[in-house]
Structure formats: structure tokens, C-alpha cells
Amino acid sequence: LSINPAIRSRAQIFEVKPLSEEDIRVAIRRAMEDAERGLGDYHAVLAADAENHLVYATNGDLRSALNGLELAIKSTAPDAEGVVRITLPIIEETVQRKALTADKDGDGHYDVISALQKSIRGSDADAALYYVARLIEAGDLQIIARRLRVIAYEDIGLANPAAVARAVTAIQAAEQLGFPEARIPIANAVIELALSPKSNSAYTAIDAALADVRRGGHGDVPDTMKDAHYKGAEKLGHGVEYVYPHAYPGDWIPQQYLPDKLQGTQYWQPKGNSKVEQAYADQYKKLRDAQQKGLH
């Protein structure tokens, strides 16, 4: 969906986000208690594990949660005491998703996701396949896709960029196919990521840079690096002494890019866990050394 820029410039745009799990939980309980606009007349009792699954399985979509709850209550006969007792299997059926576990606190949902990432990070392909199978059985394609993307860039990263790219392609294929076929590209991605060399150097590098930014007092962008594409920039000295690297042999020439206070800072700490990352590390060191030599 796209909007004409002229219309967009005259409109007020609001971002609509999924409701939080706590928001969904509050709405479910209100619906069960409200006899006038909800389901209060049915004298229903929702088991704790069933409520947790209804909250998690609907991914922030209140309409889906309420529809699943209504279907569960209206399709379940009351017991001898006149109470409609909604259990986990009933909610699994109405929302068409099986629960990962029947653990009453809902922690199992996150435990399995955590175990999947830790198994891939630890290079245990069998454990990773087991945990992703549990997520597949629960129908959590969206969660699987998001988590595998995170794992690919966080835990494999620069050690094997080709594996990262193949994993992203496999995840896209899984999303396009849907279950049950989605399990096949997911398995390919999980096995390759688990057996791949690992490196979190890019992940830790960006966090180190963010830490500097958040501390503040890091200095201004050097004048040579500032935007010069506006009238009056030259008078301010913005971009005047910038040297165009492509005009020099090797498309490189030493010049200052970081603010004065951060000169010499090294955010990326390469691990060299693979030939690929070692090649990047060698190039990184070569350029840093030449840069520092050229600026002194």
C-alpha cells in the first residue's frame, strides 16, 4: 500500500502497533466478566494455561483472541454445576495453534525460543532441530522467522555472511510457503546456522558504538564530512576539504572521518573464527594502520 506524497504531506499519520500481552490479557478478562457486552452470562472459567496460550498464540491481535475465546465458550457445554470450563486443549482448537507446553506461567513459550538460539549458537544441530520442531508443531512461523533472522546476524554474522544470506532466503521461502511445507527451508536454515562458524563481532561492535553515542560528549562531525549540498555551506567550511576517495589509486586515501574526540577508537574487535572474517580483519587492520599513519 502506498500513498501519494502530496496527500501524505497533508495527512496526520499514526503508527498502529500490536497490543502487548498484558493488554490482551486484560481484555480477555473483561470480556469474560462483562455480561452486557461480553460473555459474562455464560459463567465461564478459563484455565490459567489456556489463558496464557490465548494471549501468546494471537500475537497481539485482540480480535483473534476474543474470537477464539467466544468460540471456545459457546461451543463448550457447561458441567453439572452450570460452569463452562475452558481448558488448554479447547483453546488450542479454537485458535488453531497448539501450545508449546502446558506450563501455567507461560514461560515455556520463551524457554523453547531461548533454547533454539542457544543450541544454534552452541553448534548443536540436533538440539536446534528439536526445539524448532516444537515451534513448528505450535504453528509459530512468525516467531521462527524472526528468531532465525536474529540468530543469523547475531551469532553467525561476519564469520559466514553467505550462510546468513542463505538463511534469510530460506526464511523468506518458508513465509511464502506456509506450513506444512515451510518446515523444509526452516530445517535447511537451522542446520546450516548450527554448523557454521560463529562470530558476534558485528553485534558487539554496534553496541560499543551505541554506548559512545548514548554517553554523549563525543564531538561534532568533522567539517570536511559535513553536507555541502546547500547554499552557504562553503562559507561555513563544510565539505570544503573533503577528498573524494574514488579519484585516487585503490579508491582510498587517508582522511579524518570520526569526530576529534573519538579519533583512534576501535569498535569492531574481529575474532577471525573463519577465513572470511579473518580476511575482513586483515583488511580492517591494513586500512586502520594506513589511516593513522597518513593522519600523523
Side-chain angles (χ1 to χ4, degrees):
L1 178 64
S2 61
I3 302 174
N4 182 287
I7 296 175
R8 188 170 60 241
S9 68
R10 292 169 175 79
Q12 197 164 12
I13 299 174
F14 297 91
E15 182 181 3
V16 179
K17 298 181 179 179
L19 294 175
S20 70
E21 290 171 358
E22 189 55 38
D23 291 335
I24 298 287
R25 196 180 301 278
V26 169
I28 288 170
R29 293 177 180 178
R30 284 178 180 170
M32 292 190 65
E33 295 169 0
D34 192 329
E36 182 180 347
R37 295 174 297 174
L39 302 160
D41 284 338
Y42 287 85
H43 307 292
V45 174
L46 184 62
D49 56 358
E51 180 184 271
N52 285 331
H53 186 53
L54 188 58
V55 169
Y56 302 139
T58 48
N59 293 317
D61 185 341
L62 180 57
R63 183 185 296 274
S64 294
L66 293 178
N67 285 346
L69 178 65
E70 182 178 18
L71 179 58
I73 290 175
K74 290 186 176 180
S75 63
T76 303
D79 62 13
E81 299 174 354
V83 177
V84 178
R85 300 188 185 278
I86 306 301
T87 61
L88 177 60
I90 295 172
I91 291 297
E92 287 179 325
E93 184 67 25
T94 59
V95 299
Q96 291 295 294
R97 282 193 178 184
K98 293 184 179 180
L100 292 175
T101 67
D103 118 63
K104 65 180 182 180
D105 296 321
D107 292 336
H109 179 81
Y110 298 104
D111 290 343
V112 174
I113 296 168
S114 175
L116 170 63
Q117 179 158 10
K118 289 172 181 173
S119 297
I120 292 177
R121 182 183 295 151
S123 301
D124 191 326
D126 294 310
L129 285 167
Y130 168 72
Y131 290 118
V132 82
R134 289 180 62 170
L135 292 168
I136 290 170
E137 187 64 15
D140 283 325
L141 180 54
Q142 182 180 357
I143 290 171
I144 294 169
R146 182 181 184 279
R147 182 56 51 175
L148 288 181
R149 286 188 179 101
V150 171
I151 293 168
Y153 285 101
E154 178 180 341
D155 293 307
I156 284 75
L158 294 173
N160 195 348
V164 172
R166 285 192 293 269
V168 170
T169 299
I171 293 162
Q172 291 171 342
E175 290 174 322
Q176 291 166 358
L177 289 168
F179 287 133
E181 289 84 357
R183 75 191 189 283
I184 302 169
I186 286 171
N188 277 266
V190 166
I191 292 169
E192 181 167 20
L193 292 176
L195 299 179
S196 170
K198 308 294 191 296
S199 175
N200 68 344
S201 64
Y203 163 62
T204 56
I206 190 60
D207 280 357
L210 283 168
D212 265 352
V213 170
R214 289 165 182 164
R215 273 194 293 268
H218 39 73
D220 197 8
V221 174
D223 285 344
T224 53
M225 295 295 117
K226 290 180 179 177
D227 181 25
H229 295 88
Y230 61 93
K231 189 176 181 180
E234 187 175 353
K235 291 182 179 179
L236 295 172
H238 293 180
V240 173
E241 297 181 5
Y242 171 67
V243 181
Y244 190 58
H246 295 301
Y248 292 83
D251 299 283
W252 184 86
I253 188 170
Q255 62 184 323
Q256 179 179 339
Y257 292 96
L258 277 169
D260 291 340
K261 293 183 179 180
L262 294 177
Q263 278 299 296
T265 301
Q266 180 175 350
Y267 294 118
W268 186 43
Q269 303 291 338
K271 293 188 170 182
N273 291 343
S274 70
K275 291 181 180 179
V276 175
E277 187 171 15
Q278 187 57 54
Y280 289 146
D282 292 344
Q283 177 72 349
Y284 179 67
K285 184 178 186 305
K286 175 183 174 183
L287 292 172
R288 275 183 59 86
D289 290 347
Q291 174 89 336
Q292 291 173 2
K293 181 179 180 181
L295 293 178
H296 292 90

